[in-house]
Amino acid sequence: MFSRLGRWCYRHRVKVLVGWVLAFFAGGALMGAVGTGYSTEFALPDVESRRGFDILDEHFADSSAGGEGGTIAFRAEQGVADPEVERAMTAFLAEVDQIEQITVTSPYSAEGAQQISSVGPEAGRIAYAVIGAPRGMTLEEATAAAQEMKALIPQVDGLQVEIGGQIFAEFAVPSSEALGLAFAIIVLIVAFGSVLAMGLPVGIALAGIGVGSVLVGLFSNVLSIPEFSTTVAVMLGLGVGIDYALFIVTRFREHVHRGASFEEATTVAIDTAGRAVAFAGSTVVISLMGMLLMNLAFVSGMAIAAATVVAVTAVASLTLLPALLGFAAHRVEVTRWRGLIAAGLVAVGLAGFALDLVPLMLAGFVGAAVAVLVGFAFAPLRQEVPHRAPRPLRETISYRWSRYIQRRPWSSVLAAVAILAVLAVPFFSLRLAFSDEGNYPEDTTTRQAYDLLAAGFGPGFNGPLLLATEVPAGTDPAALEAVTTAMAADVGVAFVTPAVPNDPAAPTAALWRLFPATAPQDEATTDLVNRLRDEVLPPATTSSGLDIVVSGSVAAGVDFSEYLTARLPAFIAVVLGLSFLLLMLAFRSVLVPLKAVVMNLLSIGAAYGVVTAIFQWGWLGGLIGVEPAPIEPFVPMMMFAIVFGLSMDYEVFLLSRVREEYLRTGDSRVSVADGLAATARVITAAAAIMVVVFGSFIGEPDRLIKLFGVGLASAVLLDATVVRLLLVPATMELLGDRNWWLPGWLDRIIPNIDVEGHSLEPDVVAAEPEPVST
């Protein structure tokens, strides 16, 4: 099937190319017509905070207590009660109140009398207005509303006005992928010495990202997909897209060098490396789709977005790439000086774009165009760049390294495990919770609004708890006062409002606003939420029978963290189990997949440790622009799915070649060295590209994007170095022929999945294998 697919796409390359172009533009036109519907809502499962939101929606729908929301924080040096300030802000807040779906509670109204600071050095200088918005407000709607508010801000001397609330936070579209792309161009040219061999993987990655992103945009209209999931999907698609195409192009060139025709080389490349790509891509998609087990809409949306881009990229590698190889043919092996110079200048231009250096960007792109044009007229630039003949596999550094490790297997295993174990130590202090708005960059209005409220009202003011209850008819008002008194007496409470009824004449529900003494992301605030639920409220409501629920964004974050933490082991177990079964089917072995699962768990644990040390402990935080904060509860799950899938990619690419050599020679030890030597250059180049693609996102202002960048880059780096260069050859040497052991009864019942495919017979037989001392 793979052979027929590769041959058909090669022969019908015009149809394939036109089909992909039409898919992109037709999908883009459809997306432009229907729009996108990226969600800002984290739909909660059946937890206490959700029941609180339901009460607020039902009984307080007309107030700012229900739904989403934010604040307009302002500070006036002359005091917020200054006539000019009050006049300007009152008019401004009245205009904001007219924005569609937005409600405002002004500090100058009777209802907002307590919204002006009255204690401390900023007393009378800082105030805030409460912004109400419906729950489920889309990102586009929230962004449009925020832009309208900013346009209306009055200009008064000494007056500072900031807009707070994560729903109205600024989200800059990341451009760091351009930096990763620039590095990829350089690495591919250095590694393979061919501009077209470089351009094909980059083109396939961009095609997969383009069509995949269009599909994700369309899916966002029917699924709850968070906005940042597109960034993660692009990050992942760029990395795997280059990797997948790189392995196929490398195999294509290998068979061309053996004397095969371009069509035959393409067909065999798809039938060998293409099988591994299909299998590896399926593993990544399965890992990502495992997140559907969490049964949370926005988590499922993230999984579907990332899996869609990966799947489309894999399909592009298997269909569009053989078509492009048909167009390129012999040109893949020809590089002229004009192309080499132009490619380098394009990389410079992309770097300038990513770093927002316009002169560098223009110099790179304009220089590339000039190099191409001058190259047609200037004879020296039309000359081919001389190629250095590749070394025989047995003379490469990779082969010698593998033999060196195979002679010292136990010391290599112990050294690798020690490195990974030390890096994983911080993971055992991991705390899952949502970071607050104090982690936004200092120059954003969201962070400045947070700082104003903390200065004027205390750190806990940025994350008030909403306590709600339904009030049965005939309830004694003293019962509500008793609850207020009990909560105010807790050491973690800075201030709690009296119970606010939804209808003073005939109340059916009551609401309290409680302000903790600590910031929203502090562990003490999480402890307060649990203490209120378990120790404070039960005795205070025993006589009245009121069922008071603790809600609000902070409480929702606590519930969300506990929900995901409880389900994470099951998710990991399912992904590990399915991956083990897939690898067992692919390589017909029990120990190879078991070893792969264990080694990948070690590398992922080490990556978790790196993330914890930097983002929670604060190590090197100043260097990358982050402050200590807890780790978002969905990050370990998302990282596990992505990293495990990517680790399996390299495992499949390496082991499929090792098994191919083993089936050809029957020597388990030499096959490891030959397989490592044959794949080392391409795996090293692919890993280097992936590390820089992921690492480039460290430069983004958003903390969450930085977190994913650090976590994924460190995981790939550890997997490509410690695991592939130390653990794999050492453990396979220790196991010997047992690597490929499979019980006879199991061999008879499992299907035969051929991941190696059908390669051309080598025209040169390597020297006799040398003995390996153990």
Side-chain angles (χ1 to χ4, degrees):
M1 181 186 71
F2 284 91
S3 177
R4 290 195 301 270
L5 175 65
R7 195 179 302 277
W8 190 91
C9 291
Y10 183 94
R11 291 178 176 177
H12 299 85
R13 46 188 173 269
V14 175
K15 294 180 181 177
V16 174
L17 179 60
V18 170
W20 274 92
V21 172
L22 286 177
F24 175 73
F25 284 105
L30 181 60
M31 187 176 70
V34 302
T36 58
Y38 292 110
S39 175
T40 59
E41 180 184 9
F42 285 2
L44 293 169
D46 186 17
V47 292
E48 181 171 331
S49 55
R50 176 178 175 176
R51 297 199 304 273
F53 285 126
D54 290 342
I55 293 174
L56 295 175
D57 288 340
E58 181 179 353
H59 299 283
F60 294 89
D62 295 332
S63 72
S64 59
E68 303 280 357
T71 56
I72 295 177
F74 57 101
R75 180 185 184 277
E77 188 65 34
Q78 60 271 48
V80 296
D82 179 81
E84 185 182 6
V85 171
E86 181 173 350
R87 190 164 48 249
M89 287 305 300
T90 299
F92 166 61
L93 296 176
E95 289 180 293
V96 171
D97 194 47
Q98 298 301 311
I99 296 176
E100 187 176 359
Q101 302 190 78
I102 298 297
T103 62
V104 175
T105 303
S106 170
Y108 299 113
S109 66
E111 185 182 355
Q114 294 181 330
Q115 295 169 201
I116 299 176
S117 63
S118 58
V119 295
E122 296 291 345
R125 294 181 178 180
I126 295 178
Y128 71 95
V130 178
I131 308 172
R135 195 169 359 263
M137 190 177 194
T138 66
L139 181 68
E140 288 79 4
E141 292 170 340
T143 301
Q147 294 300 326
E148 285 190 66
M149 293 182 212
K150 291 175 185 176
L152 296 171
I153 291 177
Q155 303 298 318
V156 177
D157 290 341
L159 176 64
Q160 175 188 0
V161 181
E162 307 294 347
I163 300 172
Q166 291 191 359
I167 186 175
F168 300 116
E170 302 162 345
F171 183 83
V173 177
S175 59
S176 294
E177 61 267 25
L179 188 61
L181 196 57
F183 184 81
I185 291 173
I186 301 300
V187 169
L188 290 172
I189 289 178
V190 171
F192 300 103
S194 166
V195 173
L196 263 180
M198 169 277 298
L200 290 173
V202 171
I204 293 300
L206 293 178
I209 290 171
V211 176
S213 297
V214 167
L215 289 176
V216 171
L218 293 173
F219 290 161
S220 69
N221 290 287
V222 293
L223 298 171
S224 178
I225 299 181
E227 171 71 15
F228 70 86
S229 63
T230 57
T231 302
V232 176
V234 168
M235 187 191 307
L236 186 57
L238 185 61
V240 300
I242 292 175
D243 276 11
Y244 292 167
L246 187 57
F247 285 107
I248 294 175
V249 171
T250 301
R251 204 60 181 262
F252 167 83
R253 298 182 73 197
E254 180 182 315
H255 289 299
V256 168
H257 293 164
R258 290 182 181 181
S261 67
F262 297 113
E263 180 177 336
E264 188 63 25
T266 302
T267 302
V268 175
I270 296 298
D271 194 34
T272 52
R275 290 173 184 252
V277 165
F279 189 85
S282 301
T283 306
V284 176
V285 170
I286 287 173
S287 295
L288 292 167
M289 296 303 281
M291 291 192 293
L292 297 179
L293 294 171
M294 293 299 178
N295 198 28
L296 290 172
F298 99 94
V299 171
S300 299
M302 284 195 300
I304 291 172
T308 298
V309 174
V310 171
V312 172
T313 302
V315 171
S317 299
L318 297 174
T319 57
L320 180 60
L321 181 55
L324 295 181
L325 286 172
F327 285 113
H330 68 280
R331 299 177 189 84
V332 172
E333 298 299 322
V334 176
T335 296
R336 304 186 189 279
W337 283 108
R338 68 182 180 224
L340 190 64
I341 295 171
L345 289 171
V346 167
V348 171
L350 288 170
F353 173 76
L355 299 173
D356 201 22
L357 299 174
V358 176
L360 186 65
M361 178 180 70
L362 292 176
F365 291 142
V366 173
V370 171
V372 172
L373 294 175
V374 172
F376 284 105
F378 192 49
L381 291 182
R382 294 198 303 271
Q383 294 179 359
E384 294 184 17
V385 178
H387 286 278
R388 187 178 62 181
R391 290 182 179 182
L393 288 183
R394 298 288 176 86
E395 297 178 12
T396 60
I397 295 175
S398 304
Y399 181 84
R400 292 197 296 270
W401 171 262
S402 180
R403 302 303 270 175
Y404 174 83
I405 296 300
Q406 287 178 295
R407 287 191 288 269
R408 300 163 179 81
W410 279 112
S411 57
S412 300
V413 168
L414 293 175
V417 171
I419 293 170
L420 296 176
V422 169
L423 290 174
V425 167
F427 168 64
F428 295 99
S429 67
L430 177 71
R431 184 169 79 88
L432 298 179
F434 285 96
S435 57
D436 57 32
E437 294 160 33
N439 290 279
Y440 278 72
E442 293 182 356
D443 60 347
T444 61
T445 186
T446 306
R447 171 63 180 275
Q448 291 175 16
Y450 178 96
D451 291 341
L452 282 179
L453 291 177
F457 301 92
F461 207 81
N462 283 285
L465 301 178
L466 303 178
L467 295 94
T469 183
E470 293 184 331
V471 179
T475 300
D476 187 352
L480 301 177
E481 296 173 5
V483 172
T484 305
T485 302
M487 292 190 293
D490 190 276
V491 294
V493 176
F495 175 72
V496 59
T497 65
V500 178
N502 61 328
D503 183 353
T508 57
L511 166 71
W512 291 264
R513 289 181 183 273
L514 186 150
F515 299 94
T518 49
Q521 70 182 21
D522 285 358
E523 192 168 4
T525 305
T526 301
D527 294 338
L528 172 62
V529 171
N530 294 324
R531 196 164 57 246
L532 288 171
R533 290 171 171 173
D534 300 335
E535 302 174 17
V536 176
L537 292 175
T541 57
T542 301
S543 59
S544 64
L546 293 172
D547 181 18
I548 301 176
V549 292
V550 182
S551 190
S553 60
V554 175
V558 172
D559 290 338
F560 191 83
S561 300
E562 292 177 353
Y563 180 89
L564 285 185
T565 302
R567 283 155 179 77
L568 193 59
F571 160 71
I572 292 175
V574 169
V575 173
L576 291 180
L578 288 175
S579 299
F580 175 85
L581 291 175
L582 283 172
L583 288 176
M584 184 176 67
L585 291 173
F587 299 113
R588 308 194 72 76
S589 165
V590 172
L591 295 180
V592 163
L594 181 62
K595 174 176 59 68
V597 166
V598 172
M599 288 191 298
N600 286 332
L601 280 177
L602 286 173
S603 64
I604 292 171
Y608 282 166
V610 171
V611 166
T612 304
I614 294 176
F615 289 87
Q616 184 175 313
W617 291 3
W619 291 8
L620 303 178
L623 187 63
I624 65 173
V626 295
E627 299 177 12
I631 307 300
E632 274 69 14
F634 55 84
V635 166
M637 170 194 61
M638 193 77 178
M639 269 188 61
F640 180 86
I642 295 174
V643 170
F644 193 82
L646 294 178
S647 298
M648 285 300 177
D649 274 5
Y650 295 135
E651 191 78 14
V652 168
F653 291 134
L654 173 58
L655 290 182
S656 61
R657 192 58 183 267
V658 170
R659 181 165 172 78
E660 183 182 328
E661 296 296 327
Y662 175 73
L663 294 176
R664 185 174 64 84
T665 64
D667 190 324
S668 62
R669 290 176 170 83
V670 173
S671 64
V672 172
D674 286 345
L676 188 66
T679 58
R681 184 177 66 166
V682 66
I683 287 181
T684 301
I689 291 167
M690 196 88 80
V691 168
V692 175
V693 167
F694 292 153
S696 64
F697 284 83
I698 297 172
E700 293 296 330
D702 188 278
R703 178 181 183 273
L704 190 59
I705 301 299
K706 290 178 185 283
L707 200 158
F708 273 113
V710 169
L712 297 178
S714 59
V716 172
L717 179 63
L718 291 170
D719 187 79
T721 54
V722 179
V723 173
R724 302 290 153 230
L725 296 182
L726 287 175
L727 276 178
V728 168
T731 53
M732 296 195 79
E733 170 65 24
L734 290 172
L735 292 172
D737 288 339
R738 292 185 296 274
N739 280 301
W740 312 110
W741 171 76
L742 186 69
W745 63 270
L746 192 57
D747 186 39
R748 288 190 295 272
I749 64 174
I750 63 175
N752 185 18
I753 299 177
D754 185 6
V755 180
E756 295 82 32
H758 310 287
S759 179
L760 296 175
E761 289 298 322
D763 53 353
V764 178
V765 179
E768 287 295 316
E770 58 193 89
V772 180
S773 59
T774 58

